[in-house]
Amino acid sequence: MGNLHLIVFILVACGLCPAAFGGGDNDSRGYIPAYPNCSTTDNYTRNSQYQLNLNQLLNILPVEAKSNGGFYRTSLGAAPDEVFALIMCYSDRNWTQCENCLYAAANGISLWCPYSRTVDAVYDTCLLRYSGSSASFSTANTNVPTRPAWAARGGS
Ligand SMILES: *[C@@H]1O[C@H](CO)[C@@H](O)[C@H](O)[C@H]1NC(C)=O
Ligand SMILES: *[C@@H]1O[C@H](CO)[C@@H](O)[C@H](O)[C@H]1NC(C)=O
Ligand SMILES: *[C@@H]1O[C@H](CO)[C@@H](O)[C@H](O)[C@H]1NC(C)=O
Ligand SMILES: *[C@@H]1O[C@H](CO)[C@@H](O)[C@H](O)[C@H]1NC(C)=O
């Protein structure tokens, strides 16, 4: 573990800062993935195209989901380094919780599943998935959640 690791750790951990220090909301527990399923084979390597694509995707996801009612599914890059991802809030949480979770999940996931090519992370308020395979996200896969009912309202 070099200094870079420490710096990266701090930067990533600060994705959780709003949860830890946020106003009256003490629901910080919600930003720790309850069931992070981090793949342990076929890991991507540091500075690989997959990592670059993933990092770019993680920056985009919460922003796009925020303007899309708390749900966003997309892919970025070209095969074999294309990354498919989905982020969404659960419908029984309010918009403040949703927004906080979207950003905390996208900013913090690399801390929980470093170098995992495929991740399925369930949080108290939202979920985040990514994979190098579109198969995990096809509509035939019943594990793909549907758009939350309240998302149609556009949040906020
Ligand atoms: C939030 O604070 C209340 C009151 O202090 C406490 O009962 C509850 O367990 C806290 N929740 C979390 C997730 O820390
Ligand atoms: C975790 O993900 C792998 C695919 O990466 C899947 O085969 C496995 O069933 C998942 N485990 C759980 C508990 O969901
Ligand atoms: C959202 O829910 C949390 C937890 O129940 C609550 O503390 C907060 O006041 C709610 N925020 C809004 C805007 O309803
Ligand atoms: C792949 O990454 C995971 C962490 O996400 C780690 O636990 C695992 O040991 C890594 N596997 C290999 C083969 O390096």
Side-chain angles (χ1 to χ4, degrees):
M1 288 281 160
N3 283 335
L4 183 61
H5 278 101
L6 184 62
I7 290 165
V8 168
F9 177 86
I10 290 168
L11 287 177
V12 167
C14 261
L16 307 173
C17 288
F21 305 116
D25 183 8
N26 69 345
D27 192 28
S28 59
R29 208 170 54 85
Y31 303 122
I32 298 171
Y35 304 104
N37 185 350
C38 319
S39 67
T40 53
T41 58
D42 197 22
N43 284 3
Y44 64 81
T45 54
R46 188 204 298 257
N47 294 332
S48 60
Q49 187 60 48
Y50 192 89
Q51 183 180 42
L52 295 175
N53 290 343
L54 175 61
N55 287 347
Q56 205 180 332
L57 197 51
L58 290 173
N59 284 332
I60 292 169
L61 286 172
V63 179
E64 292 295 336
K66 185 181 166 184
S67 60
N68 189 41
F71 177 97
Y72 199 64
R73 181 163 69 177
T74 192
S75 72
L76 194 147
D81 298 305
E82 184 171 9
V83 187
F84 299 82
L86 175 152
I87 194 167
M88 66 167 277
C89 293
Y90 295 119
S91 56
D92 59 345
R93 301 298 197 277
N94 66 40
W95 184 248
T96 306
Q97 291 174 300
C98 171
E99 199 176 340
N100 289 342
C101 190
L102 293 173
Y103 280 92
N107 291 339
I109 193 59
S110 299
L111 181 66
W112 299 99
C113 304
Y115 305 112
S116 287
R117 190 171 291 268
T118 300
V119 166
D120 190 346
V122 174
Y123 297 78
D124 189 53
T125 301
C126 66
L127 71 78
L128 169 63
R129 288 178 178 176
Y130 55 81
S131 169
S133 160
S134 64
S136 329
F137 299 94
S138 79
T139 47
N141 184 338
T142 52
N143 287 324
V144 174
T146 52
R147 186 185 171 91
W150 57 268
R153 299 201 303 263
S156 106

